[in-house]
Amino acid sequence: MADQSAPQEMTEVSEAQIAVHWKEEEYFQPAAQLVAQANLNDPRVRERFALEKFPDCFREYAAMLDWFEPYEKVFDGSNAPFWKWFTGGKINAAYNCVDRHLAKYASKPAFIFVPEPETETETRITYQELYTRVNEMAALLRDFCGLRAGDRVTFHLPMTPELPITMLACARLGIIHSQVFGGFSGQACGSRIQDSGSRVLITMDAYWRNGALIDHKQNADIAVQTAKELGQDVDKVLVWQRYPGKYSAPTPMVNGRDYFVNEVLKNYRDKIVEPEKMDSEAPLFLMYTSGTTGKPKGIQHRTGGYLAYVAATSKWVQDIHPDDVYWCMADIGWITGHSYIVYGPLACAATGIIYEGVPTYPDAGRPWRIAEKYRVNIFHTAPTSIRMLRKLGPEEPRKYNYHFKCMTTVGEPIEPEAWRWYYNEVGKKQAAITDTWWQTENGGFLCTTIPALDAMKPGSAGPGAPGIHPVILDENGDEVPAGSTRAGNICIRNPWPGIMQTIWGDPARYVQTYYARYNKNPASKNWRDWPYLAGDGALLAADGYFRILGRIDDVINVAGHRLGTKEIESACLTVPEIAEAAVVPVMDEMKGRVPEVYIALKPGIIASDEIRARVIKANEELIGKIARPKHVYIVPDMPKTRSGKIMRRVLASISNRKEVGDVTTLANPNVVEEIRVMVQGKDAQVTQGEIPEDIAKFGEEK
Ligand code: PRX
């Protein structure tokens, strides 16, 4: 009998499923030179880290660290899904990143700071100097600010060495740091101060960005004011000076509240602060990230498990040796910077570059000049920078004499074409690329190839990292097999040491967001019953490589950075004339996605450019420039279901010039055509072809 299921299956294929019938890419093999010297070259590593070996396999990771007291248990799942790692162990992150390297590497640079202006010379900070500066700063935090283990401190620091120094000073004392990306607005910083309950804000007066010395101190005043309005008082604002001895911001200091760090530090010269022996489970830091609600969540990372995980993945996936020069171009204000500029590479005794400014300043040759000058041999960046550098200077890398052995891409899916440029031009066909998929919540890489062991496939992140067992689950919780062309929700079957502890102050949200979807028995103490929901759509090819398709929730990934649509919509609604706001992701050649805003005005209000401008300003002030909408459309009404729900998916199709599909069931179908003409023009053609999963399913009820 003929297979009758075939036509039926066809009709059930969704737009997103059609979109993923992409052609398989060819494999690329790592260079022999890289393989010969790699930290991880045991082809049986994934057997060593097989699921049956959980959790004991992770002892290997803990063994990469120095413990004051050994741990008793590798893993404790008794309070699932609040996992504990290496319990009973005592450890200090700053000790592991600095002190323990002094015996061998005291005079080797830990960091080379490269200022944005090319006329300024770099600063080299040896491990010995880092030790001194971290100790002095720790003394200041303890004795001048009265901070103790478990207290929270918010930073709003730019990309200078003072940021890792302050992080490590906190870690030395067990103070929980919460760095807010320097590009976020003062108000965004203020709400994070309030959520974390910080009494101290640490900032810098100014920093260089795209050729301008930016007044950053003004954001501190706004942040303190915002926190106060939300009920959190800040007693002290510590201000590092970009040029010590000189105040570079026009905004005045506030008497009795603001202090120049470098002046106060004079009282703590050469002070030594013993590293606190912290419980392995003591929180190390908070990192706020966007989710489906308007309020960013404080992702809480532990000390022992996190540090073990980032040390191991830095060593094995990025192949960092102490004699390598490693440059990650991310900002330390994001999780990539915490894990793979500060904690991971320092735990491996690397020499790392900290670059202050934008990669294309003053021209697209800048990164390659830096690579040549400082002999960088491991490079780490995001697709958005790769696209930008390719567009502005496709042949620039050829002009410079540098040699990368490994390169990483992170933060968003990389299209095979951009991947090939990265491989051919930036890597000069010599460097192995690791496309690392992970998230703020995860601590470190989840899917990636191992440079010396696995072939690379453009556009695919690869298999799970050692000890990580990803699976694709469908709507019903059934496993989607490898080689199927069906996309589904990528989940991780098992806990791992780098996973967050919880959401700061909101454990219920932690369970709800990451585990509720596929957990069938909330009382279960068995970790096998708690698959971790990452929030990304993905496909698993027959070769076991995962291809990440994008977010399945209301998060827009702008240039590799997460923005919650609800955050943007709430910012729009602060403009009093606005009745409703809807934000959608739009495909962008450089940034991957950018937000576009649709607004409906209150009755009697006339649309104007002035209102549009205020919507843009509200987003810049409440979130930051990164949230600036590409367009603001003032529409007569939002397309809505009969139950009154705004159909963001329809707006997303219009913004992306795609078919809107069947809208006849809407409460107001006619408005769709009106909006389409407003956005696209009367005779616009929709484009055919792939509809990325995050857009095809955007705003869908989950
Ligand atoms: O959608 C995935 C995307 O970035 C999200 C996580 O963002 P964030 O927490 O800010 O962390 C970014 C850096 C780790 C993910 O849910 N993403 C991250 N890496 C990749 C990626 N998408 C595709 N490929 C990647 N390599």
Side-chain angles (χ1 to χ4, degrees):
M1 205 172 87
D3 181 7
Q4 295 195 341
S5 64
Q8 203 187 337
E9 254 177 37
M10 293 275 288
T11 55
E12 281 174 5
V13 170
S14 74
E15 286 169 318
Q17 287 161 5
I18 294 166
V20 295
H21 287 273
W22 87 101
K23 116 178 168 336
E24 271 290 314
E25 295 287 331
E26 59 181 319
Y27 292 107
F28 288 71
Q29 300 297 335
Q33 233 182 334
L34 162 77
V35 175
Q37 57 79 69
N39 282 324
L40 181 56
N41 51 19
D42 174 8
R44 298 184 50 204
V45 65
R46 288 201 170 83
E47 278 167 52
R48 274 160 48 202
F49 282 80
L51 203 51
E52 310 85 75
K53 307 279 169 64
F54 179 91
D56 277 351
C57 53
F58 288 114
R59 285 182 189 278
E60 260 195 80
Y61 286 8
M64 295 186 192
L65 304 177
D66 286 4
W67 297 78
F68 294 129
E69 280 175 38
Y71 57 88
E72 286 150 18
K73 240 179 139 179
V74 177
F75 172 74
D76 176 355
S78 59
N79 187 26
F82 297 91
W83 320 116
K84 289 186 179 150
W85 284 95
F86 310 123
T87 52
K90 298 273 185 199
I91 190 162
N92 185 283
Y95 179 88
N96 273 279
C97 289
V98 188
D99 305 35
R100 67 166 174 159
H101 302 318
L102 294 179
K104 264 172 110 174
Y105 303 112
S107 57
K108 188 177 91 83
F111 287 121
I112 302 173
F113 170 56
V114 181
E116 191 189 73
E118 250 177 322
T119 46
E120 275 182 33
T121 48
E122 76 279 353
T123 314
R124 284 167 203 266
I125 301 174
T126 63
Y127 273 94
Q128 184 66 52
E129 284 158 353
L130 185 62
Y131 175 78
T132 306
R133 293 191 65 182
V134 167
N135 272 282
E136 290 176 350
M137 188 61 186
L140 183 153
L141 294 174
R142 185 186 63 190
D143 300 342
F144 182 69
C145 300
L147 292 165
R148 297 286 175 269
D151 290 343
R152 280 81 54 207
V153 174
T154 300
F155 309 166
H156 197 203
L157 287 165
M159 276 292 282
T160 67
E162 284 71 21
L163 173 47
I165 287 168
T166 316
M167 287 165 72
L168 293 163
C170 286
R172 198 161 189 86
L173 294 165
I175 298 165
I176 304 167
H177 58 75
S178 170
Q179 154 73 2
V180 177
F181 168 56
F184 274 146
S185 68
Q187 292 190 46
C189 179
S191 61
R192 286 154 176 81
I193 291 177
Q194 185 272 332
D195 190 81
S196 63
S198 303
R199 288 191 299 109
V200 175
L201 170 65
I202 307 181
T203 188
M204 185 169 264
D205 55 354
Y207 63 94
W208 287 99
R209 190 143 188 94
N210 238 337
L213 188 62
I214 292 176
D215 172 7
H216 190 51
K217 168 60 172 55
Q218 59 177 342
N219 295 319
D221 295 354
I222 298 168
V224 171
Q225 180 62 27
T226 305
K228 193 179 171 57
E229 283 162 15
L230 295 170
Q232 176 67 36
D233 285 330
V234 172
D235 318 328
K236 282 193 171 68
V237 177
L238 303 183
V239 183
W240 286 98
Q241 289 177 330
R242 171 66 179 78
Y243 297 97
K246 182 177 151 204
Y247 186 41
S248 302
T251 305
M253 297 285 277
V254 175
N255 228 335
R257 186 198 73 181
D258 300 354
Y259 301 89
F260 288 127
V261 182
N262 32 303
E263 272 176 19
V264 184
L265 269 178
K266 289 178 187 154
N267 304 326
Y268 300 96
R269 189 158 289 160
D270 292 331
K271 268 258 184 289
I272 298 295
V273 173
E274 284 307 310
E276 289 282 332
K277 296 184 170 69
M278 300 303 296
D279 277 339
S280 177
E281 275 293 306
L284 180 62
F285 66 86
L286 305 180
M287 167 69 61
Y288 282 83
T289 191
S290 298
T292 45
T293 70
K295 193 169 180 265
K297 40 196 183 190
I299 303 300
Q300 180 182 320
H301 281 287
R302 56 173 61 80
T303 306
Y306 168 83
L307 196 65
Y309 198 70
V310 297
T313 46
S314 294
K315 185 165 178 178
W316 286 1
V317 177
Q318 304 207 84
D319 198 41
I320 296 180
H321 299 65
D323 54 0
D324 288 324
V325 180
Y326 166 82
W327 182 19
C328 171
M329 238 167 41
D331 193 294
I332 297 174
W334 305 107
I335 192 69
T336 300
H338 273 47
S339 298
Y340 297 115
I341 296 179
V342 183
Y343 288 114
L346 289 181
C348 296
T351 293
I353 304 283
I354 295 180
Y355 173 57
E356 178 178 30
V358 294
T360 50
Y361 183 84
D363 57 66
R366 185 71 191 277
W368 324 127
R369 285 199 289 284
I370 292 174
E372 180 184 84
K373 184 162 178 194
Y374 302 106
R375 300 176 183 274
V376 174
N377 67 342
I378 307 176
F379 184 66
H380 186 156
T381 191
T384 188
S385 306
I386 296 169
R387 292 182 203 117
M388 186 69 77
L389 290 163
R390 176 179 181 219
K391 185 173 176 196
L392 298 180
E395 296 190 348
E396 282 299 305
R398 294 182 192 180
K399 300 181 188 160
Y400 299 94
N401 184 20
Y402 64 84
H403 173 77
F404 293 157
K405 64 168 180 171
C406 288
M407 305 194 300
T408 296
T409 166
V410 65
E412 15 159 6
I414 182 164
E415 53 283 12
E417 208 191 325
W419 191 99
R420 274 189 276 273
W421 181 77
Y422 196 35
Y423 182 81
N424 292 332
E425 294 293 331
V426 179
K428 306 182 181 186
K429 300 186 179 162
Q430 290 293 313
I433 296 181
T434 46
D435 179 347
T436 59
W437 168 76
W438 60 295
Q439 316 170 297
T440 305
E441 294 89 336
N442 310 151
F445 307 146
L446 290 183
C447 280
T448 176
T449 50
I450 301 292
L453 295 176
D454 302 319
M456 303 159 250
K457 191 165 75 174
S460 282
I468 302 294
H469 299 278
V471 59
I472 304 224
L473 299 179
D474 68 13
E475 301 302 306
N476 308 318
D478 294 325
E479 211 173 309
V480 179
S484 153
T485 48
R486 266 193 309 143
N489 294 330
I490 186 165
C491 295
I492 311 296
R493 294 179 200 269
N494 59 299
W496 64 98
I499 181 76
M500 77 197 110
Q501 285 180 301
T502 184
I503 294 174
W504 177 258
D506 201 350
R509 190 175 174 196
Y510 162 78
V511 179
Q512 179 59 33
T513 309
Y514 306 103
Y515 297 100
R517 177 72 183 269
Y518 290 120
N519 170 259
K520 296 191 183 88
N521 173 16
S524 172
K525 302 286 174 223
N526 185 341
W527 56 265
R528 291 172 192 80
D529 293 330
W530 296 90
Y532 167 83
L533 175 77
D536 280 316
L539 276 166
L540 176 56
D543 58 10
Y545 280 33
F546 289 87
R547 187 188 187 209
I548 309 299
L549 302 170
R551 301 289 309 186
I552 54 165
D553 53 12
D554 296 335
V555 167
I556 305 182
N557 189 335
V558 182
H561 304 311
R562 274 159 72 167
L563 292 175
T565 45
K566 292 284 180 298
E567 278 170 77
I568 302 178
E569 288 172 4
S570 312
C572 297
L573 290 171
T574 61
V575 176
E577 291 88 342
I578 292 178
E580 286 178 308
V583 174
V584 299
V586 182
M587 287 186 266
D588 182 88
E589 211 190 318
M590 289 295 136
K591 296 181 178 170
R593 303 281 178 275
V594 289
E596 260 185 16
V597 168
Y598 289 81
I599 51 179
L601 300 173
K602 287 182 181 158
I605 308 274
I606 314 274
S608 69
D609 284 343
E610 195 258 339
I611 293 179
R612 276 188 208 95
R614 277 197 283 132
V615 169
I616 291 173
K617 192 156 167 262
N619 277 285
E620 290 187 350
E621 282 181 2
L622 286 160
I623 306 171
K625 287 225 161 62
I626 187 170
R628 187 187 166 94
K630 186 174 178 188
H631 287 112
V632 177
Y633 298 110
I634 302 182
V635 297
D637 194 8
M638 296 287 180
K640 283 185 187 156
T641 60
R642 298 224 167 99
S643 59
K645 193 174 169 296
I646 299 176
M647 287 298 286
R648 290 177 178 76
R649 185 179 58 74
V650 170
L651 296 172
S653 303
I654 294 175
S655 273
N656 287 285
R657 272 91 184 139
K658 301 289 179 195
E659 298 276 8
V660 291
D662 183 9
V663 293
T664 51
T665 56
L666 294 188
N668 52 355
N670 295 342
V671 82
V672 175
E673 180 58 11
E674 219 176 305
I675 297 174
R676 194 193 65 76
V677 171
M678 169 191 287
V679 174
Q680 302 178 350
K682 197 157 178 26
D683 301 318
Q685 296 285 308
V686 290
T687 52
Q688 303 298 325
E690 190 168 310
I691 308 168
E693 166 115 339
D694 59 323
I695 289 173
K697 291 193 170 173
F698 187 75
E700 240 179 36
E701 208 121 40
K702 305 290 178 324

